[in-house]
Amino acid sequence: MYLLIPAAGSGRRMGSDRNKLLLPLLEKPLLAWTLSAAKAARSLRWIGLIGQPEDFQDFKEIVVSLSMTKMVHFIQGGATRQESVFRGLQALPAVAQRVLIHDGARCLVTPELFDRCAGELLHCPGLVAAIPVKDTIKMVEPSSYQVRGTPDRRQLWAAQTPQGFEVERLTRCHQEGLRQGWEVTDDATLFEQCGLPVKIVEGEETNLKVTTPVDLAIAEFILRQRGEGG
Ligand code: CTP
Ligand code: MG
């Protein structure tokens, strides 16, 4: 299975002066945790790491420090996640039929989740790891802060990555998104907007996306619980 890792963001909400994926988490850069999980996942053969050129030197040092046993290719990212993934798709070898996409910022992902998604992807055109929502969610009118409704929580799932797709179809969905000017925060949304089916694969509660400083603290706590960091 092929894996693309979008890692070309800036981490604005983290409030740091560089890509949050280079911030230390228990003495290792955040991205190193994501890559070690990918390294340990048996189903993955090829990894495309999507980054900004100014980060490539640091990324290379991480890859070397992990003695990665599978091929890691460096792909130049774009201005948005959507653009970065589109570039990643174009950099896949022509023989790639299916691809998993996993955000570099979800550094607590387990090899088992990668392998489970890779297995499921052999039986469906599109999938997304997700977990049932724990909170009650309100739909809110942005200008007045008036609550417009409360969707039934039993139908709500919080989307994570990995997400997986047939390469040819996802590429066409990205092209359609470009034509239509859709701006989305994950790839499943493009698939859905094109009327293609997306299946849920049970994700992991600990598979959080490190977005703000509090997420970094929670990630450290979870890793220590797993016995990492001495
Ligand atoms: N990403 C990317 N290319 C971009 C923007 C984001 O590859 N132009 C990646 C990030 O590196 C991250 C993932 O997409 O692994 C999810 O994005 P997010 O958590 O929003 O990270 P940032 O965009 O870096 O953070 P922020 O939105 O706070 O600036
Ligand atoms: Mg972002």
Side-chain angles (χ1 to χ4, degrees):
M1 182 64 67
Y2 294 80
L3 172 70
L4 288 173
I5 302 181
S10 59
R12 191 182 37 82
R13 287 170 289 177
M14 186 59 73
S16 132
D17 57 355
R18 58 176 176 163
N19 190 344
K20 66 185 176 188
L21 301 185
L22 295 171
L23 295 177
L25 171 58
L26 288 186
E27 272 80 67
K28 268 198 269 184
L30 209 141
L31 183 63
W33 294 99
T34 316
L35 282 168
S36 344
K39 177 185 172 185
R42 292 187 191 167
S43 57
L44 302 176
R45 294 259 175 279
W46 186 104
I47 299 172
L49 189 52
I50 310 167
Q52 299 295 347
E54 66 262 29
D55 290 335
F56 279 155
Q57 192 49 44
D58 289 303
F59 284 9
K60 278 180 189 149
E61 281 164 24
I62 294 169
V63 167
V64 168
S65 76
L66 293 174
S67 341
M68 293 295 289
T69 41
K70 28 200 130 194
M71 280 193 272
V72 180
H73 299 259
F74 293 84
I75 302 161
Q76 188 169 334
T80 62
R81 184 190 180 282
Q82 192 173 340
E83 211 178 303
S84 292
V85 172
F86 189 45
R87 291 187 183 193
L89 291 172
Q90 288 161 323
L92 286 173
V95 292
Q97 292 189 346
R98 298 181 179 80
V99 65
L100 289 181
I101 299 166
H102 180 70
D103 286 342
R106 288 193 189 268
C107 56
L108 300 182
V109 63
T110 64
E112 291 73 31
L113 183 57
F114 276 128
D115 289 338
R116 211 146 39 78
C117 290
E120 288 282 337
L121 189 55
L122 300 177
H123 309 290
C124 65
L127 61 80
V128 40
I131 54 167
V133 163
K134 289 184 281 185
D135 294 305
T136 297
I137 306 288
K138 300 292 181 191
M139 308 267 291
V140 178
E141 176 66 45
S143 51
S144 63
Y145 282 19
Q146 280 298 315
V147 172
R148 289 295 171 227
T150 307
D152 179 359
R153 192 173 62 198
R154 287 168 303 183
Q155 294 189 26
L156 296 177
W157 290 68
Q160 306 182 335
T161 64
Q163 301 192 354
F165 307 91
E166 290 176 0
V167 173
E168 205 183 303
R169 277 178 160 164
L170 183 64
T171 304
R172 275 195 261 116
C173 295
H174 268 267
Q175 285 162 344
E176 186 62 14
L178 265 179
R179 266 195 295 276
Q180 307 270 359
W182 297 336
E183 288 174 14
V184 300
T185 50
D186 75 351
D187 299 282
T189 305
L190 294 172
F191 226 63
E192 294 155 34
Q193 306 238 69
C194 289
L196 295 169
V198 178
K199 186 184 169 181
I200 293 282
V201 171
E202 184 100 25
E204 295 168 338
E205 201 175 354
T206 51
N207 181 23
L208 58 89
K209 183 163 73 71
V210 175
T211 307
T212 59
V214 77
D215 297 321
L216 208 50
I218 296 169
E220 181 173 329
F221 178 82
I222 294 168
L223 285 172
R224 285 195 195 280
Q225 291 270 312
R226 289 181 185 171
E228 302 282 357

